[in-house]
Amino acid sequence: MLTQQQLLALHYLFPISAKVVTQLTEISPTSLRKSLPISAKKAQQIFHNYEKIQHYDFLSYYAQQHITPIMYIDNAYPTMLLNSYDAPSLLYAKGNINLLQQMAIAIIGSRKAGLYTKVVLEAIIPPLIKANTVIVSGLAKGADTYAHEHTIACGGQTIAVLGHGFYHMYPRENELLAEKIATEHLLLTEFAPHMPPARHHFPMRNRIISGLSQALVVTEAAMRSGTLITTEFALEEGKDVFVVPGPIHSPLSQGTNYLLQEGAIPIINGNQIIDAMQLIFLNHGK
């Protein structure tokens, strides 16, 4: 198994999963090529860069940046995420890492979501907060932003999972919101601080949103969207997916209404979620 220093150095270059780390007994071009879906040239490049930084004091560096690295073997690493699909070997956190051990519900939806989602969240979020539930979302435009903002406005706690490192912000208009979450709530990512947003990062981000949460709430979603990818992760993990029905003529309701056809649980307020998951909420309160 890799040491903490080895993992911090390797992960700075490539976001490897916990499963891969358990298979690595050494870091070499050959072992990287065998364990990762990369070419021999890419493996050689990673190893070359690894040799340059392998002795760098990452722990001190992250402490100076108010970043907490959480390894998959640390007590702070959430058990449910570790047991999920392709769990990250390392998380980078800014804020209150104790939120990772609390009851959490993910709320997601379209980046184009508007007034309908805002109205829906006013009915869904307050009862969840009253039940001491952390709201998880992805800090994207639209539904994610509304979920974070309304949770904060109602006095609740929220976790924002990013598809990039902390030295970047996407979307830029959420920079102030991200700063507030990092100070009073929790920002989380599996990407080293210098890594910029990339298209393939966001499906990876979605599996973490699902893995952190006991259940998933979908407000508005088109048929082909990242929202439906996240619901697939949740369903594969046997989690409840709660869906808000939408107007049949709205493109942003096609995905949600499809999920209802496939057996998702229809909801119109947060109390329905609490009733449906009563045993989990009761155990959480003990």
Side-chain angles (χ1 to χ4, degrees), residues 44-87:
Q44 183 64 52
Q45 181 185 26
I46 292 174
F47 180 70
H48 176 70
N49 291 330
Y50 171 80
E51 287 189 305
K52 292 181 180 179
I53 66 170
Q54 61 178 315
H55 299 301
Y56 185 77
D57 188 354
F58 284 97
L59 284 178
S60 295
Y61 170 69
Y62 289 141
Q64 292 171 3
Q65 303 300 316
H66 306 290
I67 297 170
T68 303
I70 304 173
M71 290 178 59
Y72 71 102
I73 57 173
D74 293 341
N75 291 334
Y77 195 104
T79 302
M80 192 162 56
L81 176 61
L82 186 59
N83 294 330
S84 68
Y85 169 77
D86 201 29

Side-chain angles (χ1 to χ4, degrees), residues 107 109-111 117-118 121 125 137-152 158 171 173-174 177 181:
I107 297 179
S110 173
R111 287 174 170 81
T117 284
K118 286 185 177 180
L121 293 182
I125 288 177
S137 201
L139 203 70
K141 295 179 182 179
D144 290 15
T145 296
Y146 301 150
H148 293 304
E149 289 180 338
H150 196 61
T151 298
I152 293 170
T158 189
E173 54 261 45
N174 276 351
L177 177 59
I181 292 174

Side-chain angles (χ1 to χ4, degrees), residues 70 76 93 95-103 134 159 185-186:
I70 304 173
N96 182 6
I97 63 172
N98 292 326
L99 297 183
L100 294 172
Q101 308 305 323
Q102 296 186 29
M103 174 77 178
V134 176
I159 298 174
H185 305 268
L186 182 64

Side-chain angles (χ1 to χ4, degrees), residues 210-227:
S210 172
L212 291 173
S213 309
Q214 272 81 8
L216 193 70
V217 177
V218 185
T219 59
E220 293 179 278
M223 276 301 295
R224 299 184 65 181
S225 65
T227 299

Side-chain angles (χ1 to χ4, degrees), residues 25-45:
T25 56
E26 63 172 0
I27 299 177
S28 67
T30 300
S31 63
L32 292 173
R33 177 69 184 92
K34 288 181 178 180
S35 301
L36 298 170
I38 56 176
S39 65
K41 181 179 179 181
K42 179 68 173 178
Q44 183 64 52
Q45 181 185 26

Side-chain angles (χ1 to χ4, degrees), residues 7-16 58 61-62 67 90-92 163-168 189-197 201:
L7 178 56
L8 287 170
L10 181 57
H11 203 276
Y12 188 82
L13 303 170
F14 198 91
I16 55 180
F58 284 97
Y61 170 69
Y62 289 141
I67 297 170
L90 186 63
L91 297 168
Y92 302 91
H164 48 79
F166 290 136
Y167 296 163
H168 303 269
T189 181
E190 70 172 311
F191 299 102
H194 63 92
M195 289 193 175
H201 287 179

